[in-house]
Amino acid sequence: MFQSSHLISKASSQSINNLVKPPILFFGIEGQYVNALYSAAAKSKKLDKVDQDLKALTDLLHKDVKFKEFITNPLVSVAIKKEAIDQALKQKLNFSELTTNLVELMAENHRLTYLPEVARCFGKAMAFSRNEITCTVTTALPITDPNVQKDVEDCLKKFTSKKLTIIMKNDPSIIGGMIIDFDGENYIDMSLRSKLKVYSDLIKTPI
């Protein structure tokens, strides 16, 4: 089983008597990695650097499908994966040793499929520490009118006192309306798809 002290001892030479807990505690397999990484990064004063690394890594895995398939392929030996990770992340992209060690450790433990969730949770912890929150707005079609965009932004700001970052996404399957997700904390489904489902369920209900 993965031990949090394993990552810290590998990534940092500082004392490990006390873990530095993230502002949000995470659980499960991904939580063990996130909590240990946050502690190691905090002690090394590299929280911002690791956060930047993980965001860049998420983008890399999204864009470079071949690299993602390679490092998650169970048929590829751990030694070859670690060599590729070191070359790609540390040497080419100048990732911190903490981030590279995390990915190599996850490769050793055959846990790389959890990497996107680890990155997401770490980013959530960092946003919380900065009093920031991300709101994802999903619409069927892109909102191109600047006035409408501003109206949406002004409306969303009323829901929180935190510094708000808005991400606009499109999903034709919702048909119309919008879905608002405040980083998993609050979820508002005002889509036409959800309304049609309600009506459909009512129709199917026996009288």
Side-chain angles (χ1 to χ4, degrees):
M1 180 180 293
F2 168 73
Q3 299 294 328
S4 61
S5 60
H6 187 176
L7 175 59
I8 298 174
S9 62
K10 183 175 181 181
S12 173
S13 60
Q14 299 185 30
S15 172
I16 60 172
N17 292 329
N18 296 305
L19 294 178
V20 178
K21 296 181 180 180
I24 308 172
L25 283 179
F26 299 94
F27 303 94
I29 293 174
E30 64 274 14
Q32 294 175 23
Y33 288 104
V34 173
N35 297 335
L37 178 62
Y38 187 95
S39 180
K43 289 183 178 182
S44 301
K45 301 186 185 302
K46 293 183 178 179
L47 282 169
D48 289 335
K49 173 57 177 170
V50 171
D51 187 34
Q52 293 172 5
D53 288 348
L54 291 177
K55 288 177 180 176
L57 180 56
T58 300
D59 189 52
L60 174 65
L61 295 177
H62 179 71
K63 292 180 178 179
D64 195 337
V65 179
K66 289 185 178 180
F67 178 71
K68 180 179 180 180
E69 291 177 346
F70 173 78
I71 64 173
T72 56
N73 188 339
L75 299 179
V76 179
S77 71
V78 172
I80 293 177
K81 286 182 181 180
K82 290 175 66 175
E83 182 179 357
I85 290 168
D86 186 75
Q87 290 180 355
L89 306 187
K90 190 175 182 179
Q91 297 180 29
K92 291 185 179 180
L93 298 177
N94 196 32
F95 276 19
S96 69
E97 185 177 357
L98 285 169
T99 311
T100 305
N101 285 345
L102 166 76
V103 182
E104 291 183 352
L105 179 60
M106 295 183 74
E108 289 178 8
N109 294 337
H110 306 287
R111 300 293 194 186
L112 283 174
T113 53
Y114 288 88
L115 190 52
E117 185 62 14
V118 169
R120 188 192 71 81
C121 290
F122 191 91
K124 185 174 182 178
M126 290 299 296
F128 190 92
S129 68
R130 298 169 181 146
N131 199 36
E132 299 172 349
I133 190 169
T134 299
C135 178
T136 302
V137 179
T138 304
T139 55
L141 297 173
I143 298 178
T144 57
D145 188 332
N147 293 325
V148 176
Q149 291 178 356
K150 187 178 185 308
D151 287 342
V152 171
E153 181 178 344
D154 291 343
C155 181
L156 294 175
K157 285 181 178 179
K158 296 178 182 178
F159 283 86
T160 180
S161 59
K162 296 181 179 180
K163 181 181 178 181
L164 184 63
T165 298
I166 300 175
I167 299 175
M168 304 295 294
K169 290 187 177 181
N170 304 122
D171 181 2
S173 71
I174 73 171
I175 306 174
M178 64 177 61
I179 297 175
I180 301 172
D181 183 2
F182 282 93
D183 205 14
E185 295 181 11
N186 289 291
Y187 186 85
I188 307 171
D189 190 345
M190 299 182 294
S191 67
L192 183 55
R193 178 180 62 188
S194 66
K195 293 180 180 179
L196 290 175
K197 184 179 184 304
V198 171
Y199 297 144
S200 177
D201 290 343
L202 286 174
I203 293 173
K204 293 177 182 178
T205 303
I207 299 176

